[in-house]
Structure formats: structure tokens, C-alpha cells
Amino acid sequence: MQEEVQISVIMPAYNAEKYIVNAIESVLSQDVSLELLIIDDCSTDHTAEIAERYADGKKIILLRNETNCGVAESRNRGIRRALGKYVAFLDADDWWEQGKLKAQYRLLEETNQVLCCTGRELMNPDGTSRGKVIEVPAEITYSMLLKTNSIPCSSVVMRTEAAREFYMCHDELHEDYILWLRVLEKYGAACGLNEPLLKSRMSQGGKSRNKLKSAKMQFGVYRYMGFGALQSCYYFLMYMFHGVRKYM
């Protein structure tokens, strides 16, 4: 009898040949029942070939997009395909510490909350530490999240049924942040595990690395969520304040 899948790990990948092996191996080191769904978004390098070497059609599944869909729709494809009670997100250039998923699984089962995130350690593109750890609070409410996005996408484990209520949207904005806001607006709070179990690679090409572009995206999120201009400006100022404190 096949073991029941507890967590479906969703890994979108685009031109990640330099890093994807590290990401995959960190998933395989986790001590929970899982499946890994790698969604190749029409990579032009050897990402798909590397993922194919791991794929077995059961525990590790490679899905290839027919056209370049972007990270939001790639994750959504994984959410639709997931068999686990929970889904976890991991970008192909990040990686996890051993024991991460088990610790989050236990916390979610104990608290009965729908979403759990962890702290993260910032890493250089070559995988060395930048000496900076970003912590997370034990509880993150909707009102707290409006002022700063304290939920790193690659650290998230969330209930699959909640992810399927909303899915991700708007790649041109912060698609993951919109999902967290919509989930917490309905369910109230997420739990945080304040350990740097996520190693977050600060790659040069990440869209959030362009601070001006990221700021425009952040303001766009508030407008998308239905806030007027004044409210959006207020939350944007809070975002700027917390952003400066976060990376000091």
C-alpha cells in the first residue's frame, strides 16, 4: 500500500541549472512523507534535463509548461496537481535545512492553523552566508501582514484546500504576498517558526532585488486588495519603515 503523502512540495524552475540540484537534495533530506512537483517553465538551459534525472513519476514528478507561464501559474499548476494535505513552496535557487517540514507539519497539526512560515538566512549567489538572519513572529495576523510581508514564500507550508481557494495571481505584483493576504483575511492568522530553516539565495535577477520596482509592486498590491489611495499610502509607508528595519 502506497504511503499517504503529507506534504506536496511545489518547485517552479526557470533557468536554474546552477542551483536546482541543491534545492532538490534539500527536499529529499526531509523526514516526512512527501512528493516533489518540479514545474519547468520552458527553461532554455539544462534545468529540465537535471530535474528529469531525479524524476521517478511517483515521489518526484517533472511537469513541463508548454509556454512560459510565469512563477504564479507554475505554482498554481503544482497546487492543482498536489496530493498532500499540505503544500510547501520552494524556489529552485533556495534550499532547506533538514527537519524543516516535520517541524512545520507538527506545528500546523497542533495549532490547526492553515499556514506556517519560518525564519530565513540570507545567502550570497555562491551559497555562502551573508551573516543576516531574518526572524518571524510566532503569530502573524492579517493586520500585521499588511504592514510588512513577513512570510518568505520558500518557507511556507499551507493547507492545500486553502491554497486552492485562492491560488496565486498577478506575476507583475508580489503574487505570493497577495495569496498570504487573502488567506489571512479569511482565516485570521498564520504561525511562525522562528528558526532560519530556509536558506534564501539573494540572486541578482530576482524581481524583488530592484527596490524601486519592488516598491511599485507593493503599492500595486494594496490597490489590488481594494484599499483607497490614502490607505494604500499609509500601508506603503509602514512597508518602507519595516523594510529598512528588516535589512539593517
Side-chain angles (χ1 to χ4, degrees):
M1 185 175 178
Q2 188 173 354
E3 186 179 12
E4 182 181 359
V5 175
Q6 295 172 330
I7 300 176
S8 297
V9 180
I10 297 171
M11 183 185 294
Y14 177 73
N15 288 352
E17 64 178 5
K18 292 181 181 178
Y19 309 126
I20 194 169
V21 168
N22 196 23
I24 292 172
E25 291 290 346
S26 79
V27 173
L28 298 181
S29 74
Q30 302 299 310
D31 47 355
V32 297
S33 173
L34 59 81
E35 63 174 351
L36 171 58
L37 306 173
I38 304 170
I39 303 93
D40 178 66
D41 197 21
C42 297
S43 296
T44 57
D45 63 2
H46 298 291
T47 297
E49 290 90 332
I50 294 169
E52 187 70 56
R53 294 202 294 266
Y54 283 90
D56 58 12
K58 296 179 182 179
K59 182 174 182 178
I60 305 175
I61 298 164
L62 173 62
L63 304 172
R64 296 177 187 244
N65 292 341
E66 293 183 3
T67 59
N68 183 264
C69 299
V71 69
E73 183 52 35
S74 294
R75 292 191 187 116
N76 288 343
R77 187 177 182 187
I79 292 169
R80 288 190 291 268
R81 169 63 178 73
L83 298 177
K85 179 179 179 180
Y86 298 99
V87 292
F89 301 108
L90 179 61
D91 289 345
D93 55 351
D94 295 333
W95 71 97
W96 293 332
E97 290 279 10
Q98 288 186 356
K100 173 187 178 291
L101 292 187
K102 176 177 276 189
Q104 289 179 277
Y105 181 84
R106 286 176 173 170
L107 186 57
L108 284 164
E109 292 289 291
E110 290 170 3
T111 61
N112 201 35
Q113 290 179 311
V114 299
L115 189 152
C116 178
C117 63
T118 75
R120 58 180 171 141
E121 182 179 4
L122 303 185
M123 314 299 289
N124 292 309
D126 65 1
T128 58
S129 176
R130 301 184 66 172
K132 175 68 175 178
V133 170
I134 298 181
E135 300 182 338
V136 293
E139 182 179 74
I140 303 165
T141 65
Y142 175 68
S143 60
M144 292 166 63
L145 193 64
L146 281 170
K147 297 172 183 176
T148 180
N149 183 9
S150 52
I151 299 179
C153 186
S154 284
S155 81
V156 165
V157 177
M158 69 180 300
R159 201 177 299 164
T160 303
E161 62 187 37
R164 286 177 178 157
E165 284 186 71
F166 303 106
Y167 290 98
M168 290 195 180
C169 62
H170 290 285
D171 266 326
E172 77 279 7
L173 302 176
H174 294 298
E175 73 288 332
D176 55 337
Y177 184 38
I178 291 173
L179 177 58
W180 317 148
L181 285 169
R182 295 172 77 188
V183 168
L184 295 198
E185 186 177 26
K186 177 174 180 178
Y187 290 100
C191 52
L193 187 60
N194 193 27
E195 299 177 31
L197 301 178
L198 165 65
K199 305 304 178 184
S200 183
R201 199 186 305 265
M202 306 299 286
S203 58
Q204 298 301 318
K207 63 184 181 180
S208 294
R209 297 287 284 157
N210 184 321
K211 296 306 180 185
L212 179 59
K213 181 179 179 181
S214 182
K216 291 179 178 178
M217 291 161 60
Q218 185 77 13
F219 191 81
V221 168
Y222 297 133
R223 297 296 281 165
Y224 172 80
M225 292 297 294
F227 294 109
L230 287 177
Q231 266 191 307
S232 296
C233 287
Y234 166 75
Y235 285 122
F236 181 75
L237 289 173
M238 292 295 100
Y239 153 79
M240 294 290 288
F241 171 73
H242 288 286
V244 169
R245 292 184 62 192
K246 184 187 295 185
Y247 291 100
M248 283 180 61

